[in-house]
Amino acid sequence: MTFDDVVEMVKPAPDSQYRLVNCKCGSTEVVYLHCKGAHGQTAWRVKCTDCMAETSSSYTCRHDAQVVWNTGKDIAFP
């Protein structure tokens, strides 16, 4: 995935309810990407801007993307 479809990039505060764990590569540069789909819908995914690992799927709810990232499930590594 690229950044072409990104509407908004959000780096949550460390004490936010939407906090993200560090990437497996050790980077703290992990962000939410709010993206637009082909049919006008929007969805969330999480990406490490250092190694480019990201959630394999996009989620309509930001919390769902957070849970997937923070538990390390369904993450695609380049």
Side-chain angles (χ1 to χ4, degrees):
M1 292 185 167
T2 65
F3 291 96
D4 296 343
D5 61 344
V6 175
V7 176
E8 175 184 22
M9 188 180 312
V10 179
K11 178 149 173 84
D15 61 349
S16 165
Q17 70 178 5
Y18 289 109
R19 65 186 161 271
L20 296 166
V21 299
N22 294 347
C23 183
K24 300 267 188 217
C25 75
S27 175
T28 60
E29 296 305 311
V30 179
V31 297
Y32 288 102
L33 301 178
H34 196 197
C35 307
K36 60 183 173 185
H39 303 289
Q41 78 282 15
T42 59
W44 293 93
R45 63 184 195 257
V46 176
K47 186 173 195 101
C48 171
T49 58
D50 283 336
C51 77
M52 303 310 230
E54 66 183 321
T55 53
S56 296
S57 300
S58 295
Y59 303 88
T60 55
C61 175
R62 181 167 42 165
H63 179 260
D64 291 344
Q66 176 190 31
V67 169
V68 169
W69 181 268
N70 286 352
T71 59
K73 297 179 181 176
D74 200 25
I75 306 297
F77 294 92

